[in-house]
């Protein structure tokens, strides 16, 4: 492999001068710089980034913890984060986060990344401490309990506000028994959304008894059998007339389970999803959803990360959602 | 930050001994090894992986080039690749590949990864040469033209076989004018599938004139207006009775466009997708698809990568697909 020394020899300069050129220093004469660049080209020299990042202590790499990449909501955020990061010269790692892997994940990242983006994981306090020891800025796209209290800035919807809007919309259509489907297993941002929904229901003067909080497990594969069982247990006489789901995969599963069990949507059950993934426009009927403006999340997150890398203090940021009435409510 | 020197001092050994322990060498007495490990634990020493990887010349990082992470087909493959890689102690980068970014992508990866996984990109010959210069093993999950000729092993379906099965299925239902929707813009694996479809049609004794090869652009957002225009141009009198789509996103878009234009599926148009992403079970009617066994791709690819890292020669690998008749054909 071609080294800086080879380039220096061919260009007739010292190795230090080659380094100056590589690092964009201004202390090299134009003519010398051109000679060095010509030598690099001739020798097809490419700098070893691994060695370089060791020197600058910057890896130009960011890590993203995803919860479940099989959810198009998260895949879409990752897609946009990568696009925005690349514009700033950063490569993006992603890691599927599970609590049992906290220690190996954090060890694996030590010295490899300049910053970490969470997708609303529900962290243990000890993990949070270890993250601090990584000494890299952390921010979260979507929120989960504790993150903000620990000073990790989050980008998210104002869920209480969004859910109040959805509940009001349902109330205006005569719904007063409104259930909520969450995912207690993964926790993560689902827990934050659940708490916001509970608050929103209270503010709208309705009740959300335990039996109207369903656990759909976050995926189509888990929500489908869960909701079939629920219908069966209630002998098709559902204890609610409307259901808000904390993600769209579960909402799509419920639409399907209703069809299989001859429960008419929205007449017998109105359904609202919380993200507006592509699939929601292909269900039958099409899903009424809260639109989560994912398009802008990548740029927003990257802007925030840049500030954090400069050690600027950073507040959490609220984006505006929108209720999109379609066919299911 | 705690260094090896600190560990060595506390354990009363030389820095070299600490390094032996870290690198799992056998030349350290059990008792000494335990003392070093205890010192590491006491000091909460964690090895700097960046420095270590520079020494071992192994980064324990793999890169994956994706075409479009917004396609659940690719997101699903990435998800499984990551799971399999992690089991082997590898972190996974992903990069969205576009031809104009070839040079920066390759420069960015130099020295940072031990191997590269392609998701069927359509590479220029020069890119291929530069990839070789990276001196890391390359394999492709899904195939595109040239990759195999260049000696890059691929994991993919036998598309000619799968498409023959689909065409035969359609023929048995009386279809003889069968169209194909591809994506000529991104090229990548779409081009490989198109060629296989052309071969399969020929082998089944049918014709595929130019006008029956549609370009849907690979996404719902592109295929929807394209197919609306197509219906309009043909005054709802379609020149085919069946359509096979090279991915499911386009197939879902066509189902929707048919509904909007009162074209009955499958009576007036039978539709088959090529991947079996989750969404295909939520369209109305549900999509008939070729099932692509993505579940096993991560493990398969990682096994192949391990062999390649050991410099073993590696053949391409064919997985078995399956036609799943549902509602659209």
């Amino acid at each position: 492999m071609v080294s800086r020394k080879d380039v220096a020899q061919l260009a007739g300069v010292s190795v230090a001068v080659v380094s100056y050129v590589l690092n964009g220093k201004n202390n090299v004469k134009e003519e010398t710089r051109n000679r060095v660049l010509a030598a690099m080209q001739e020798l097809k020299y490419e700098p070893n980034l691994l060695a370089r990042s060791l020197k600058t202590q910057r890896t130009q790499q960011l890590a993203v913890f995803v919860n479940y990449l099989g959810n198009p909501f998260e895949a879409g955020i990752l897609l946009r984060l990568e696009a925005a990061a690349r514009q700033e010269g950063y490569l993006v790692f992603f890691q599927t986060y599970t609590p049992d892997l906290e220690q190996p994940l954090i060890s694996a990242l030590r010295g490899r990344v300049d910053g970490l983006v969470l997708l609303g994981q529900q962290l243990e306090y000890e993990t949070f401490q270890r993250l601090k020891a990584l000494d890299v800025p952390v921010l979260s796209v979507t929120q989960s309990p504790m993150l903000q209290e620990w000073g990790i800035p989050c980008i998210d919807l104002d869920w209480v506000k969004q859910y109040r809007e959805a509940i009001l919309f349902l109330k205006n259509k005569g719904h007063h028994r409104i259930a909520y489907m969450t995912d207690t297993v993964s926790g993560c941002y689902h827990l934050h959304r659940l708490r916001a929904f509970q608050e929103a229901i209270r503010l709208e003067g309705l009740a959300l008894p335990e039996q109207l909080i369903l656990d759909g497990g976050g995926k189509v594969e888990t929500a489908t059998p869960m909701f079939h069982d629920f219908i069966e247990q209630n002998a098709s006489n559902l204890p609610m007339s409307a259901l808000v789901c904390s993600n769209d995969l579960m909402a799509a599963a419920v639409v399907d389970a209703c069809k299989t069990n001859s429960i008419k949507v929205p007449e017998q059950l109105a359904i609202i999803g919380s993200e507006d993934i592509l699939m929601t426009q292909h269900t039958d009927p099409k899903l009424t959803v809260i639109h989560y403006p994912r398009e802008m999340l990548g740029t927003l997150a990257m802007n925030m990360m840049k500030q954090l890398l400069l050690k600027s203090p950073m507040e959490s940021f609220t984006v505006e959602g929108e209720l999109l009435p379609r066919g299911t409510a």
Side-chain angles (χ1 to χ4, degrees), chain A:
Chain A
M1 197 160 138
V2 180
S3 71
R4 292 184 187 201
K5 207 172 150 189
D6 301 323
V7 175
Q9 263 173 1
L10 184 64
V13 299
S14 69
V15 175
V17 169
V18 175
S19 298
Y20 295 153
V21 172
L22 274 171
N23 296 317
K25 294 273 169 69
N26 288 325
N27 56 353
V28 183
K29 271 190 226 154
E30 186 65 19
E31 189 266 332
T32 314
R33 212 178 76 91
N34 288 340
R35 221 162 58 226
V36 171
L37 291 176
M40 283 179 190
Q41 206 160 13
E42 190 173 332
L43 295 170
K44 297 193 198 308
Y45 172 81
E46 296 200 35
N48 184 328
L49 287 174
L50 190 58
R52 189 204 270 191
S53 63
L54 194 71
K55 270 202 172 154
T56 61
Q57 292 295 326
R58 276 282 173 96
T59 62
Q60 294 291 115
Q61 297 181 172
L62 297 177
V64 181
F65 282 178
V66 302
N67 293 297
Y68 175 50
L69 196 62
N71 184 348
F73 176 71
E74 295 190 29
I77 290 176
L78 193 56
L79 174 71
R80 288 164 178 112
L81 268 173
E82 187 224 11
R86 185 185 281 175
Q87 288 223 319
E88 305 289 335
Y90 277 84
L91 297 187
V92 172
F93 270 119
F94 77 101
Q95 293 289 300
T96 300
Y97 172 90
T98 49
D100 58 308
L101 283 174
E102 282 188 353
Q103 187 124 28
L105 275 180
I106 288 172
S107 295
L109 293 177
R110 179 175 289 276
R112 290 204 196 183
V113 295
D114 299 338
L116 174 62
V117 179
L118 308 176
L119 288 192
Q121 278 79 12
Q122 178 63 22
L123 303 175
E124 301 289 325
Y125 184 71
E126 282 162 20
T127 311
F128 168 63
Q129 289 298 329
R130 277 204 296 275
L131 280 178
K132 275 170 80 171
L134 272 182
D135 199 27
V136 300
V138 180
L139 71 85
S140 178
V141 177
T142 78
Q143 199 176 329
S144 82
M146 302 314 296
L147 291 184
Q148 255 185 305
E149 277 134 85
W150 293 341
I152 297 178
C154 301
I155 304 173
D156 207 348
L157 295 185
D158 178 344
W159 283 102
V160 175
K161 181 182 154 198
Q162 302 297 341
Y163 279 145
R164 281 192 77 171
E165 193 184 328
I167 292 163
L168 194 62
F169 173 84
L170 290 169
K171 270 167 70 179
N172 285 339
K173 299 200 165 211
H175 298 283
H176 291 91
R177 296 281 284 173
I178 305 173
Y180 187 76
M181 186 178 281
T182 183
D183 168 17
T184 61
V185 178
S186 79
C188 70
Y189 46 78
H190 292 284
L191 188 52
H192 178 71
R193 294 182 191 175
L194 169 62
R195 290 189 185 165
F197 190 81
Q198 289 172 314
E199 175 71 1
I201 275 279
R202 197 184 60 74
L203 290 169
E204 287 300 327
L206 297 177
L208 184 70
E210 275 294 310
Q211 98 216 61
L212 291 190
I213 301 176
L214 313 182
D215 187 348
K219 302 178 186 181
V220 170
E221 306 88 279
T222 50
T224 302
M226 180 270 141
F227 204 69
H228 276 291
D229 287 354
F230 183 79
I231 292 170
E232 202 174 306
Q233 277 157 25
N234 289 280
S236 293
N237 192 3
L238 299 182
M240 72 284 204
S241 66
L243 173 67
V244 178
C245 294
S246 107
N247 75 16
D248 293 348
L249 289 179
M250 295 193 291
V254 170
V255 171
D256 241 40
C258 285
K259 197 183 285 180
T260 313
N261 289 278
S262 305
I263 290 175
K264 284 200 184 103
V265 176
E267 295 81 359
Q268 289 174 271
L269 185 67
I271 304 166
I272 295 182
S274 293
E275 293 160 342
D276 194 19
I277 61 174
L278 189 59
M279 188 197 273
T280 61
Q281 296 184 48
H282 292 267
T283 55
D284 178 46
K286 293 180 183 188
L287 264 163
T288 295
V289 291
I290 294 165
H291 172 74
Y292 200 120
R294 285 185 296 168
E295 310 73 37
M296 61 203 291
L297 286 188
T299 314
L300 263 177
M302 206 54 216
N303 282 344
M304 256 163 108
M305 183 54 81
K306 271 161 64 186
Q307 295 299 313
L308 289 168
L309 286 166
L310 296 170
K311 313 269 180 204
S312 306
M314 193 47 57
E315 296 286 315
S316 284
F317 193 91
T318 304
V319 290
E320 282 290 319
E322 188 187 355
L323 186 71
L324 301 181
R326 293 190 190 123
T328 60

